[in-house]
Amino acid sequence: MAKTPNRKLKTYQTSLGFFDQAIAAPSMKAALAAWGASSNLFHQGVAKETDDPDIVAATMEKPGVVLRRPVGSDGPFSESAELPTDLAEDDAGPKRRPKKRPAKTTKTKPATKETAKAPSRKSDDQAARKAAAAFEKEERRREAERKKEEAARARERARRDKAVASAQAALDKARREHEARAEAIDAERAALDERAEAEQRSWDKQRTKLEEAVRRARA
């Protein structure tokens, strides 16, 4: 059952069959529907709203989900709970309600705050140091990888710059050679033009002289 928006959830508890059941729901009606109850268990006195902090915390983590624990026990509520271990073995006989198990006691001396926190603090410190070492190791790996990539990029830039410089030098040399040849051709062309003009002038003089001789011979 999805959490109803904008409505404050409450925790309700009941006992059905072999299980205690609890749920965080917006109303008693919603809790009854989630339990699949055919009657009003609240009016019958077998269901109630609870403010037990452990039960409230468990149900609020999974609002709308029916949590269970063996009936009469004081263990934590969960989505999947095992049947009580002290059920009557004779199925033909009357079912008896499991007795509430007494609270667990310990013969050991209660630990002080200092001794109780010491192992946890030591474990936390070890975990923190381990995490810090792993972080530094990863940082070193990333730094080495970064330097490796930078060196590869530098080598590629140097190779590219060398190739560009070589190609530019070849282009400049070819341009100079072309310009030298063009200048030589231009010089040759100018000399040819000058020879052609001289030849034309010489021919014009010779032609004029010979034409004059032809006219005199005809006279």
Side-chain angles (χ1 to χ4, degrees):
M1 184 176 74
K3 181 179 177 181
T4 304
N6 301 327
R7 297 185 66 182
K8 183 179 179 181
L9 297 179
K10 298 179 181 179
T11 298
Y12 301 101
Q13 182 179 352
T14 188
S15 294
L16 296 174
F18 299 118
F19 296 101
D20 290 336
Q21 300 189 20
I23 186 173
S27 65
M28 294 181 180
K29 182 178 179 180
L32 292 172
W35 289 330
S38 58
S39 59
N40 193 328
L41 302 179
F42 294 97
H43 288 176
Q44 296 170 9
V46 293
K48 64 179 181 178
E49 179 182 346
T50 181
D51 57 359
D52 184 298
D54 294 334
I55 302 176
V56 171
T59 57
M60 291 302 176
E61 286 184 0
K62 297 182 177 181
V65 176
V66 176
L67 305 182
R68 297 178 176 83
R69 70 181 179 188
V71 67
S73 71
D74 57 358
F77 281 87
S78 64
E79 291 187 67
S80 57
E82 298 181 356
L83 286 170
T85 58
D86 54 354
L87 293 175
E89 296 182 358
D90 185 5
D91 293 340
K95 305 290 183 181
R96 66 181 177 84
R97 184 183 182 90
K99 295 181 180 179
K100 185 174 182 180
R101 294 196 295 271
K104 293 182 180 179
T105 59
T106 179
K107 294 181 180 180
T108 58
K109 184 179 180 180
T112 64
K113 289 184 178 181
E114 289 75 10
T115 58
K117 290 182 178 180
S120 176
R121 185 183 303 111
K122 184 177 180 180
S123 176
D124 291 345
D125 291 343
Q126 291 176 345
R129 287 194 296 270
K130 185 176 180 181
F135 177 80
E136 291 177 359
K137 182 178 179 181
E138 178 63 17
E139 282 289 288
R140 290 193 297 271
R141 186 195 68 78
R142 284 198 295 266
E143 180 65 15
E145 187 67 20
R146 184 184 64 79
K147 289 182 178 180
K148 182 178 179 181
E149 291 176 355
E150 287 182 351
R153 287 194 295 268
R155 288 194 297 270
E156 177 62 20
R157 285 195 300 269
R159 185 199 64 77
R160 186 170 57 250
D161 293 344
K162 183 177 180 181
V164 170
S166 177
Q168 185 65 46
L171 174 62
D172 294 342
K173 180 181 178 181
R175 180 182 291 110
R176 289 193 298 269
E177 291 175 350
H178 161 71
E179 291 174 350
R181 288 192 299 269
E183 289 177 0
I185 292 171
D186 289 341
E188 292 175 2
R189 181 184 296 114
L192 288 173
D193 290 343
E194 185 176 351
R195 287 174 57 190
E197 291 177 358
E199 178 62 26
Q200 185 65 41
R201 289 194 298 271
S202 175
W203 164 245
D204 289 342
K205 289 179 180 180
Q206 185 180 11
R207 179 176 54 81
T208 301
K209 183 177 181 181
L210 292 174
E211 287 176 351
E212 182 63 25
V214 170
R215 284 195 298 271
R216 284 197 303 267
R218 287 177 179 175

